[in-house]
Amino acid sequence: MEKLAVFVDALSRQGEHCIAVRLIPEPGKSLPAWDAGAHIDLHLANGLIRQYSLTGPPGGTDHYLICVKNERDSRGGSRYLHNELRLGQQMEISPPRNLFPLEEADSYLLIAGGIGLTPLLAMAEELERFKQPFELHYYVKRRSHVIFRERLDSHFAYGRCHVGSGCEGRSPRTTLPEGLTQPAAGKKLYLCGPEAFMSHIRNRALDAGWRSEDIHSESFQPPARNIPCTQIEHDFTVTLKSSGMSFTIPPDKTIAAVLQEHGVDVPLSCEMGICGACLTPVLEGKADHRDTVQSETEKAGHKQQITLCCSRSLTGNLVIDL
């Protein structure tokens, strides 16, 4: 997987629990351009790889900006960034990938929870640049948790921004945007935040008549998956188009793990089905999708892709384009 060298150019506290990290390229070089919704992988010195959405005005090649919450139950990534990251430190990152792009629409409803503001703020900036109308609704527990407050307070010319605080009685459970009850042709809904938050908003939107294909979301973690005790995982085989070689995938191993054991190069990052680094076209067979990076429409589409890190097969064999 391609890597880019960057340096930590600035660190700033955002709200009570987050830091913004500005990354710049090596002297004399530039970074790849990016669109709203894109994210990068950070390759940390402790060996971890973590994904963070790019935020701020999209497109710039002189720096990237991310925001990191100090998670209470950190698996090591956010704790490292909050405790160990220093100004001037060199890091390696991936080029931006965008699995959460803005689709063309007449108007947009953006709803963020907590750190989920980061990709949606980039979307608001992009819509502002193209003079597209939008509403941005941002939910936090307390006002002191608001990130990028200065930008939000400076207002948008083509969009409206609303901040709801749960401690002030305006949580997603009690107060939903009026626009959520008004789906319309040509209107798109974008969500980002904790899984329970997005599930609640998505269900309310569907109840109000939104089409599922007009609802777009991005997860930071996979949802809990409850496999019925009567469902037994089975072996299946995966065949590579390039070599014709087949490999048996046992119940206790992922496709990616088996392929790597046999020397097949698999691009991995999150290993939870949320980043899309290992998405691979399926040429024959039917995938048992267990990722959250693809929409339900994409999973049911004719041209399927499978996340090799977590998904399995509903057929005895899968032929994949690898």
Side-chain angles (χ1 to χ4, degrees):
M1 183 180 295
E2 183 184 359
K3 296 179 184 176
L4 306 171
V6 295
F7 295 88
V8 179
D9 183 55
L11 296 167
S12 65
R13 178 168 291 279
Q14 299 291 333
E16 285 189 20
H17 306 297
C18 301
I19 55 171
V21 183
R22 177 186 165 100
L23 302 169
I24 60 173
E26 295 178 291
K29 295 187 177 181
S30 60
L31 296 166
W34 59 285
D35 297 320
H39 70 269
I40 56 174
D41 298 341
L42 266 60
H43 296 256
L44 306 182
N46 60 5
L48 297 175
I49 303 174
R50 291 291 183 265
Q51 297 75 42
Y52 294 97
S53 295
L54 295 176
T55 192
T61 59
D62 61 339
H63 77 276
Y64 291 155
L65 182 66
I66 62 173
C67 192
V68 182
K69 182 182 179 183
N70 194 4
E71 300 286 356
R72 182 183 304 174
D73 54 350
S74 170
R75 294 179 294 123
S78 67
R79 185 181 303 119
Y80 171 86
L81 290 166
H82 273 259
N83 296 341
E84 306 295 335
L85 206 61
R86 296 292 182 268
L87 284 175
Q89 183 174 333
Q90 185 173 3
M91 305 184 70
E92 288 186 326
I93 65 172
S94 69
R97 293 196 301 276
N98 198 346
L99 298 161
F100 189 41
L102 272 174
E103 293 186 1
E104 189 172 335
D106 297 328
S107 63
Y108 299 84
L109 180 60
L110 315 176
I111 305 180
I115 193 67
L117 177 70
T118 52
L120 299 194
L121 181 58
M123 291 181 178
E125 297 282 13
E126 187 156 300
L127 294 170
E128 180 81 352
R129 182 161 64 103
F130 289 108
K131 302 180 180 180
Q132 290 273 335
F134 67 91
E135 285 187 25
L136 171 60
H137 294 262
Y138 174 32
Y139 289 95
V140 292
K141 185 174 182 180
R142 297 185 177 87
R143 293 271 171 184
S144 58
H145 294 176
V146 171
I147 61 176
F148 300 113
R149 177 188 296 277
E150 186 175 345
R151 177 63 187 99
L152 298 178
D153 287 346
S154 65
H155 304 297
F156 296 92
Y158 298 92
R160 291 185 296 167
C161 177
H162 307 270
V163 178
S165 164
C167 288
E168 297 172 5
R170 297 182 66 82
S171 76
R173 298 286 176 189
T174 61
T175 312
L176 287 170
E178 186 176 333
L180 195 70
T181 64
Q182 301 169 346
K187 188 175 180 180
K188 297 285 187 184
L189 170 61
Y190 283 81
L191 310 173
C192 193
E195 186 59 35
F197 165 85
M198 291 195 296
S199 178
H200 174 70
I201 301 290
R202 185 183 299 110
N203 288 337
R204 298 291 76 76
L206 292 171
D207 291 344
W210 284 80
R211 303 187 311 166
S212 60
E213 56 264 41
D214 290 332
I215 303 173
H216 304 270
S217 61
E218 184 176 58
S219 297
F220 296 140
Q221 59 187 26
R225 180 178 171 84
N226 297 317
I227 298 177
C229 59
T230 54
Q231 180 177 336
I232 301 173
E233 301 281 13
H234 294 283
D235 289 0
F236 60 95
T237 60
V238 166
T239 302
L240 307 186
K241 175 192 173 187
S242 59
S243 63
M245 296 180 67
S246 293
F247 304 93
T248 299
I249 313 299
D252 61 340
K253 291 186 178 180
T254 66
I255 299 173
V258 172
L259 295 183
Q260 288 184 324
E261 287 174 1
H262 290 82
V264 179
D265 185 23
V266 179
L268 284 178
S269 185
C270 73
E271 299 189 53
M272 297 188 295
I274 62 175
C275 79
C278 62
L279 273 173
T280 303
V282 175
L283 303 177
E284 293 180 25
K286 186 173 179 57
D288 178 6
H289 296 291
R290 301 186 180 185
D291 64 281
T292 57
V293 72
Q294 299 183 94
S295 68
E296 294 306 313
T297 301
E298 290 170 325
K299 291 175 182 178
H302 178 65
K303 293 184 178 179
Q304 294 211 347
Q305 296 192 90
I306 186 171
T307 46
L308 304 180
C309 66
C310 65
S311 294
R312 300 188 68 80
S313 179
L314 295 173
T315 51
N317 182 51
L318 286 178
V319 180
I320 61 175
D321 193 6
L322 195 68

